[in-house]
Amino acid sequence: MTADRSRAYEEAVRVRLAAARLWAAHRAPYLASAVFALNPVILEPAAHDDTGAPVADPEFRAFPADTRWNLYVEPGTALATPVEEIGWWMLHQVGHLVRGHASRSPARPRPGREAAGAPARGEEAHRWNQAADAELNDDVVAEDLPGPAGVISPAELGLPAHRTAEEYVPMLDVLAEAMGRGGQALAEAIDCGSAVDGRERTYEDAGSAGGLTRLDRDLLERSIAAAAVRDRISGRGEVPAGWRRWAEERLRPSVNWRARLGAVIRSGLSTVAGQVDFSYRRPSRRAGAYAGVVPPSMVRAVPDTVLVVDTSGSVTGDVLNRLLAEVTGIIDGVAGPGRRLRAFCCDVRPYPVQVVRRAGDIALTGGGGTDMRAGLAAATALRPRPDLVVVLTDGRTAWPERRPAARVVVCLIGEGGHAPGWASVVRVPARVPVKGGA
Ligand SMILES: [Zn+2]
């Protein structure tokens, strides 16, 4: 393609991007500053052999982004995509960016885990992309903005709404397997770029100065969150539930951890309970009405929960005791009070299991380093096997590479440390205030 033609296409692409930005900012006013912060990087077009016109490359249909807020635009794709759809993808990519999907990604490269370079996107990264899309599209769809054809939608797949990407991963695994047996694919393979999984793409120019710094991103997120809360209060526009929650947590993380902890544990308990709700163990009392057909009876199963407490010495006993009281209070609220609970302490190795009725009965022992690989292996080796494992830790530990055979909720204490992508995570402050305070 000649330089002149290339410039003409680039100009046409810029005009479309400008129109798409206006459309997106108008549809979601609280995201306007975010939409304008996206930095479009126009890639070299793939040209048609005969006509020389740019050809759309499906790899770029999602207008993939990186974590510096660069939006990679492939000219053929941009010229072939309606303006509204480009705007939709802009809102979608902003969602990946501000919700930190790249840093939450279980497929992001970690030191010592794999060789340098950008290896092919594996199954894990692909599933994570779909789960992150499910988390976002809920809200974009709720705004009466139906997504482009082929994108993941929890409603269309019959999945529960308003879950996190971490929660959608196992649901999509089950669904994909079932659909695969019927010869169907779950959804089209859409790649949203390194903004979703933290894996650098070959088309990214890592050395360029373009895009936002960490500080820019932080300031931008705070202003988006403030705008979302302001728009909701003033009634200027609909702010979807997921964005409202994100904004409130972003602005007041220390106040809302308790509510979030409750929501995550209750969600873990009810998902587990939901898996065994239909049971043939007891025939329904109305069985006679069905003339020979025995319907499954609804059993309110109480999920079996195990607490794993990091007693490595970097977390103080005072904080652990208060957190344990919070966690057991939440479990009592769902499962009924006074239920026996299994718990054990773990530093570099797991200690014997304690069966307790109250948080205060748990004896905290341990010290030194932490290895939660040992803790989780011990938890899932218990018989009967727990449905839900709640881990209390500062996250300064190695974690198992793969998701264990139980749902895991991690209460991550303090600012440092990390939790694996396959777990549901709630960050709690290192200084846990007495209940009633904040
Ligand atoms: Zn996406």
Side-chain angles (χ1 to χ4, degrees):
M1 189 171 304
T2 67
D4 278 355
R5 288 192 72 157
S6 184
R7 259 198 299 280
Y9 284 125
E10 190 171 323
E11 192 47 40
V13 168
R14 288 202 183 277
V15 169
R16 287 181 86 75
L17 291 177
R21 266 184 164 155
L22 285 175
W23 180 90
H26 180 70
R27 293 307 298 252
Y30 55 96
L31 294 179
S33 55
V35 167
F36 282 93
L38 288 168
N39 178 46
V41 175
I42 299 181
L43 301 167
E44 196 60 37
H48 190 279
D49 282 347
D50 299 329
T51 65
V55 182
D57 180 346
E59 189 191 343
F60 294 95
R61 69 163 288 199
F63 295 82
D66 67 22
T67 54
R68 290 168 301 146
W69 289 64
N70 293 311
L71 188 78
Y72 292 91
V73 180
E74 193 274 317
T77 306
L79 294 174
T81 307
V83 164
E84 295 81 2
E85 192 174 318
I86 302 176
W88 188 93
W89 283 115
M90 286 176 167
L91 294 174
H92 179 92
Q93 294 295 356
V94 164
H96 283 313
L97 289 164
V98 301
R99 298 193 191 194
H101 282 152
S103 59
R104 287 159 58 188
S105 162
R108 71 186 185 283
R110 263 155 285 189
R113 190 181 153 191
E114 49 198 320
R121 200 165 83 117
E123 190 57 36
E124 190 181 38
H126 179 52
R127 177 73 74 239
W128 174 253
N129 197 149
Q130 291 177 320
D133 284 356
E135 177 187 312
L136 292 182
N137 289 350
D138 240 9
D139 277 332
V140 188
V141 173
E143 276 189 289
D144 192 23
L145 299 175
V151 299
I152 284 260
S153 146
E156 272 176 34
L157 291 172
L159 298 176
H162 309 309
R163 299 296 169 89
T164 60
E166 287 82 353
E167 291 172 285
Y168 282 124
V169 166
M171 296 185 208
L172 291 174
D173 280 346
V174 170
L175 207 55
E177 203 200 317
M179 291 174 81
R181 278 199 299 271
Q184 284 180 291
L186 188 62
E188 284 177 45
I190 291 174
D191 184 354
C192 293
S194 59
V196 74
D197 60 18
R199 301 173 74 88
E200 197 178 301
R201 303 299 195 271
T202 48
Y203 53 78
E204 290 177 23
D205 183 7
S208 93
L212 302 185
T213 65
R214 215 191 138 76
L215 179 65
D216 292 336
R217 294 198 297 260
D218 201 48
L219 293 172
L220 181 63
E221 283 186 13
R222 293 193 70 82
S223 86
I224 301 165
V229 170
R230 188 191 59 221
D231 282 9
R232 184 181 65 82
I233 291 168
S234 69
R236 282 204 330 173
E238 269 303 293
V239 180
W243 278 103
R244 273 199 323 260
R245 273 198 307 276
W246 170 82
E248 280 155 14
E249 276 169 31
R250 187 70 184 74
L251 293 175
R252 298 185 301 163
S254 60
V255 176
N256 283 314
W257 68 268
R258 192 172 272 129
R260 186 167 149 68
L261 179 67
V264 167
I265 291 180
R266 274 190 298 274
S267 145
L269 289 167
S270 61
T271 304
V272 170
Q275 286 165 1
V276 287
D277 255 351
F278 286 99
S279 160
Y280 286 92
R281 275 178 297 174
R282 284 185 309 192
S284 162
R285 280 192 290 136
R286 290 170 57 211
Y290 291 83
V293 182
V294 181
S297 49
M298 288 289 283
V299 174
R300 176 95 166 92
V302 176
D304 193 53
T305 308
V306 168
L307 302 178
V308 183
V309 188
D310 175 353
T311 45
S312 62
S314 46
V315 191
T316 70
D318 187 38
V319 168
L320 285 178
N321 279 323
R322 286 183 183 177
L323 260 184
L324 279 168
E326 296 276 351
V327 170
T328 51
I330 293 161
I331 295 170
D332 284 351
V334 176
R339 194 168 297 281
R340 289 188 321 148
L341 203 61
R342 289 181 292 177
F344 63 87
C345 301
C346 178
D347 47 30
V348 289
R349 65 187 175 88
Y351 289 82
V353 174
Q354 308 173 39
V355 179
V356 297
R357 283 185 193 279
R358 291 181 305 119
D361 298 340
I362 300 171
L364 299 176
T365 47
T370 325
D371 189 350
M372 272 303 152
R373 290 173 302 194
L376 282 165
T380 48
L382 290 175
R383 294 295 178 268
R385 190 150 80 186
D387 303 304
L388 180 70
V389 179
V390 179
V391 183
L392 280 65
T393 178
D394 64 359
R396 294 171 208 276
T397 168
W399 293 97
E401 287 281 314
R402 304 200 67 80
R403 186 182 314 132
R407 261 184 81 94
V408 179
V409 170
V410 177
C411 303
L412 201 53
I413 304 163
E415 289 298 314
H418 76 285
W422 41 254
S424 301
V425 185
V426 186
R427 221 175 245 286
V428 302
R431 292 185 55 216
V432 179
V434 183
K435 192 154 191 174

